[in-house]
Amino acid sequence: MYRIAVLISGSGSNLQALIDKIESGYLDCTIECVISDKKDVFGLKRAEEHGIKTFVLERKEYVRGLSEVIYEIVRGKVDLIVLAGFLSILDGDILKGFRNRIINIHPSLIPSFCGIGMYGIKVHEAAVKSGVKISGCTVHFVDEGTDTGPIILQKTVPVYYEDDACALQLRVLEQEHRALPEAVKLLSEGRVNILHNRVQISGWEDIDD
Ligand code: GRF
């Protein structure tokens, strides 16, 4: 069984999408644990309701060393780490130990509106302000940079003139809930290859939710 750890900092709607897709049978994997860098977030409740083990590692208590503690928890226990709205930056040995086994979901079409400081509503504010007509989300591997790892998949949404950042955020979030389970499915089925920093997917046409 393919084992994943999900790291969160907030409401955990992407975590919920993974839970739902496991329960529906779309994903053949198990969530071994949920780790949050904030206490009292709704994502933790979602995990608890489904009997998933949770860890709270508050960022302020682990100014240095948060990544090390996470590494200790997941090392040898999971096949994949999924950053689902996780706001801390992973660094150090975990990036080597889990090379090409950590993924993140970002609410824009990378390489637009990403990088240091680009998270949450700020991403959508920047997209609306720029006047782009298409936005979306990206699931990518995590490397030493910020939002720089190989892109696994992207989904697009239209951006309307009338949109504010909140409207766009909701439209993108719907697509995140499709994209993240799809990416986990592809990985769990061993269908993702990285060649020269680009991702090649085998049997792409079979993927459907
Ligand atoms: C999502 O927009 C995700 O792309 C971003 O943070 C948000 C988390 O939402 N990284 P949720 O906690 O999964 O509801």
Side-chain angles (χ1 to χ4, degrees):
M1 180 71 84
Y2 194 73
R3 303 158 305 169
I4 65 177
V6 184
L7 276 50
I8 61 166
S9 301
S11 98
S13 67
N14 280 290
L15 163 67
Q16 188 67 53
L18 293 172
I19 293 171
D20 292 347
K21 292 294 187 186
I22 290 171
E23 292 186 348
S24 76
Y26 173 81
L27 284 177
D28 187 17
C29 61
T30 154
I31 300 176
E32 290 293 313
C33 63
V34 167
I35 301 173
S36 173
D37 62 358
K38 283 193 189 147
K39 63 176 182 180
D40 300 331
V41 294
F42 190 58
L44 285 166
K45 289 205 174 58
R46 296 183 196 264
E48 283 155 15
E49 269 170 24
H50 290 269
I52 301 167
K53 195 167 178 179
T54 59
F55 296 86
V56 178
L57 307 172
E58 279 201 275
R59 230 186 311 172
K60 57 184 179 214
E61 285 172 31
Y62 296 92
V63 181
R64 298 174 72 90
L66 178 66
S67 296
E68 280 167 44
V69 182
I70 294 172
Y71 194 22
E72 274 166 31
I73 293 171
V74 297
R75 196 177 187 162
K77 300 207 179 66
V78 305
D79 303 296
L80 181 73
I81 299 172
V82 179
L83 310 188
F86 186 64
L87 294 178
S88 298
I89 304 284
L90 293 180
D91 55 16
D93 291 346
I94 192 167
L95 296 180
K96 293 191 186 68
F98 275 81
R99 173 79 60 209
N100 300 334
R101 293 194 299 137
I102 308 176
I103 63 171
N104 178 50
I105 180 130
H106 182 78
S108 76
L109 297 174
I110 290 174
S112 292
F113 316 120
C114 62
I116 294 167
M118 269 294 179
Y119 60 88
I121 198 72
K122 291 185 197 177
V123 177
H124 306 290
E125 283 167 357
V128 169
K129 194 172 169 203
S130 76
V132 291
K133 297 298 180 198
I134 295 172
S135 189
C137 61
T138 303
V139 184
H140 64 93
F141 286 106
V142 172
D143 63 10
E144 280 75 6
T146 304
D147 303 327
T148 52
I151 291 169
I152 303 168
L153 60 84
Q154 295 184 303
K155 293 207 180 283
T156 59
V157 302
V159 183
Y160 301 117
Y161 182 78
E162 297 72 22
D163 279 342
D164 61 10
C166 291
L168 181 58
Q169 183 177 43
L170 283 178
R171 198 174 305 125
V172 171
L173 196 57
E174 258 179 46
Q175 295 308 311
E176 293 183 41
H177 298 161
R178 294 178 58 219
L180 192 58
E182 270 187 31
V184 172
K185 186 175 176 73
L186 290 168
L187 286 155
S188 68
E189 294 175 354
R191 292 159 64 179
V192 177
N193 289 312
I194 303 174
L195 302 167
H196 308 299
N197 222 40
R198 292 173 63 206
V199 164
Q200 180 193 50
I201 290 170
S202 48
W204 175 254
E205 60 284 357
D206 299 345
I207 280 287
D208 203 1
D209 57 351

